[in-house]
Amino acid sequence: MLGARASLPAVVALALAACRATEGASDSAGVPVHGSLVSRYQGRWTSGAHDNDLTEVLSVEVGDAKKDPVTGYVLAEGLADLDGHGSSTFHSLADTYDSAVTARLYEAHADLHVSRTLETLRVGRQSIVETPEIAYFDGARAETVDLGEARIRVGAFGGVPVKLYASSTAGDSMFGTFAQARPWTGGRLRADWMHVEDEGSFGPRQDDLLGIGASQNFGSNLRIEAQHTRLESESRDLRLRASYAAKDSDLVLQASWYRLMQTQKDFTVPFDPFYSTLYDLFPYAQVGFLASKSLGKHVELQTGADLRRVSNDDDIGEFNRDFNRFFATTGIRGVLPAELDLSLTGEIWDSQESDFSTYGADLARAFGAAVDASIGTYYSLYKYDLFQNREIDDVRTWYLKVEWKRATSTTFDFRYEYEDDSSDEYHSLRLGMTWRF
């Protein structure tokens, strides 16, 4: 299987293999190759510390699924830390390697279009987002088209779990299967089973995850969804969601409810990837509401709420807190001077430690069809600092961003952020270019 790092020769080999496989079935125009190359510089600094990185992300699609028996896809990233290994303030997982230049292979797979009864037959590094937890592995996947009046669809996959920042160990494996049906109008039923074996934080372990989900459309406006998972022999979580979108207007209503029933601890990495850093995640419940509607042609309104409760007060701690957040946003388009668009957000944050009433604003303008610019600010009561592996609170962020579509195939972007939290001030500058081919 392809390694998690520095596998660019394998990437090239896969792309060339896909080209050769489709060469005989392609028309005179040859095998189509499409994709993008994103180049991005990011600099971060604060008092006494700085970090400068250069990132290249390559995405390539080879072949045409409508006529070629084999198609391919590659997504890879190269990262160069221009400071060597940066500072402890902005330390990241990339800094744990000996070299300041690293590479990661996110996806590299070939799709075989050999049977009309198979919607997907894929080999290589891939991910499946429809499973209860994202399945990310090196291996094979097969999935049928809808069969019969009940539109039954089945699938299976298997391989070695991908660990981008570590090597797989002997005995690591992931496999699973699913069945889905649409037995009546607007309804869908799905059951998933996933099995993972890997080297846990305290030694080898294996876990089984069972997911059962259902959804129902009522007419063209309302959709209700539910999903329940069981990890090993215990209930893990329950998720409910309802969405309403009026077809004769732009009224949108959404409501969601989530409950974590089982403490997340030292399970296999795909089922709890954050345990080694954040340790136990204790049961909690969270409710969300959202409503949006336009008032005429120039005013848009959006309001909502997020409420979270940890099941046991003794379990409240960093990364898992009680809070209430209520917000309302007003968007004004097409009536302000200089063709400006304005969005204003008011928020109320209510937590066990503190209460805040805050604001956010975004002022945007289009300069013709090629340039879009905006400046604004937003507030976060709790924000996760990825670089220092800590939770920071009372964070005010200001930003300026510009996007220039120089040509159909080329876009440049600029973004600056200033972040003021309860302990320090941070600056971030990002310059990027996207080339599409």
Side-chain angles (χ1 to χ4, degrees):
M1 295 299 174
L2 299 176
R5 296 181 54 238
S7 300
L8 296 183
V11 173
V12 175
L14 178 65
L16 292 176
C19 289
R20 286 194 291 268
T22 58
E23 186 175 3
S26 300
D27 56 24
S28 58
V31 178
V33 178
H34 303 287
S36 65
L37 177 64
V38 179
S39 304
R40 180 161 292 126
Y41 160 80
Q42 184 168 19
R44 298 181 293 267
W45 66 96
T46 186
S47 56
H50 60 82
D51 185 52
N52 295 275
D53 297 321
L54 182 64
T55 305
E56 302 285 340
V57 178
L58 176 66
S59 172
V60 180
E61 296 181 19
V62 182
D64 183 348
K66 295 181 179 179
K67 61 184 181 66
D68 295 327
V70 181
T71 57
Y73 177 72
V74 170
L75 177 62
E77 177 190 72
L79 173 66
D81 191 325
L82 305 181
D83 302 292
H85 276 87
S87 67
S88 58
T89 300
F90 299 106
H91 186 80
S92 68
L93 287 172
D95 295 319
T96 61
Y97 298 118
D98 295 333
S99 174
V101 178
T102 59
R104 279 174 287 279
L105 181 62
Y106 291 111
E107 297 213 11
H109 55 73
D111 287 338
L112 311 179
H113 311 284
V114 296
S115 172
R116 293 183 178 180
T117 60
L118 290 178
E119 176 77 17
T120 302
L121 182 56
R122 179 170 295 173
V123 179
R125 175 157 296 180
Q126 56 190 288
S127 59
I128 308 175
V129 299
E130 296 87 359
T131 46
E133 289 291 337
I134 295 178
Y136 188 24
F137 61 98
D138 292 327
R141 170 191 178 189
E143 181 177 326
T144 69
V145 298
D146 291 344
L147 303 172
E149 295 183 0
R151 299 174 61 186
I152 297 174
R153 177 179 296 223
V154 296
F157 63 90
V160 178
V162 174
K163 301 175 181 178
L164 286 174
Y165 294 94
S167 300
S168 297
T169 55
D172 285 4
S173 64
M174 169 186 286
F175 51 88
T177 185
F178 84 92
Q180 175 180 295
R182 301 180 184 270
W184 56 79
T185 303
R188 184 186 75 110
L189 303 173
R190 179 176 172 121
D192 287 86
W193 172 69
M194 303 175 67
H195 177 84
V196 175
E197 299 181 17
D198 76 0
E199 188 75 25
S201 299
F202 299 104
R205 65 169 298 131
Q206 55 183 341
D207 294 316
D208 292 275
L209 181 69
L210 174 66
I212 301 174
S215 65
Q216 179 65 50
N217 294 335
F218 296 90
S220 58
N221 297 340
L222 178 62
R223 179 179 177 85
I224 296 177
E225 302 170 81
Q227 184 185 61
H228 173 60
T229 66
R230 294 182 64 86
L231 184 55
E232 290 300 290
S233 59
E234 298 182 28
S235 293
R236 184 199 193 198
D237 61 8
L238 178 62
R239 189 186 310 270
L240 303 174
R241 183 170 60 184
S243 303
Y244 175 84
K247 299 301 181 182
D248 54 351
S249 70
D250 59 357
L251 173 64
V252 175
L253 302 173
Q254 295 178 350
S256 63
W257 179 80
Y258 175 81
R259 182 173 177 81
L260 178 65
M261 305 174 182
Q262 180 184 8
T263 300
Q264 300 303 283
K265 45 189 178 182
D266 182 30
F267 296 113
T268 49
V269 172
F271 295 155
D272 190 3
F274 305 112
Y275 174 78
S276 60
T277 303
L278 306 183
Y279 302 107
D280 291 351
L281 177 63
F282 295 101
Y284 69 91
Q286 185 161 335
V287 179
F289 303 96
L290 179 69
S292 66
K293 181 73 174 68
S294 294
L295 301 179
K297 297 181 180 180
H298 305 295
V299 179
E300 300 172 357
L301 295 178
Q302 186 180 88
T303 185
D306 295 299
L307 299 88
R308 182 183 178 113
R309 295 289 183 274
V310 179
S311 300
N312 190 327
D313 289 343
D314 294 336
D315 295 332
I316 295 176
E318 196 171 27
F319 310 114
N320 197 17
R321 302 177 181 272
D322 288 351
F323 67 83
N324 300 326
R325 173 181 177 253
F326 305 93
F327 66 91
T329 299
T330 300
I332 303 174
R333 310 279 186 261
V335 294
L336 297 178
E339 301 179 352
L340 293 170
D341 294 333
L342 176 65
S343 294
L344 296 172
T345 299
E347 296 178 285
I348 297 175
W349 290 85
D350 178 16
S351 72
Q352 189 176 40
E353 294 83 6
S354 54
D355 299 331
F356 289 93
S357 297
T358 72
Y359 68 91
D362 181 273
L363 194 62
R365 188 185 191 282
F367 296 87
V371 179
D372 293 316
S374 65
I375 185 171
T377 180
Y378 63 92
Y379 175 85
S380 302
L381 180 57
Y382 301 117
K383 195 171 186 179
Y384 181 50
D385 186 339
L386 294 171
F387 301 104
Q388 300 185 68
N389 187 32
R390 66 186 181 98
E391 182 186 79
I392 53 180
D393 48 66
D394 193 14
V395 187
R396 169 63 63 180
T397 302
W398 297 83
Y399 63 86
L400 169 65
K401 59 181 180 180
V402 179
E403 184 178 276
W404 175 32
K405 300 175 183 177
R406 182 181 180 276
T408 304
S409 61
T410 308
T411 301
F412 295 89
D413 62 90
F414 163 92
R415 183 181 180 97
Y416 166 76
E417 283 191 3
Y418 166 73
E419 186 178 277
D420 183 8
D421 64 37
S422 56
S423 61
D424 209 339
E425 300 176 356
Y426 300 89
H427 303 265
S428 175
L429 175 65
R430 191 181 72 182
L431 302 174
M433 184 191 76
T434 301
W435 173 51
R436 291 169 289 274
F437 55 88

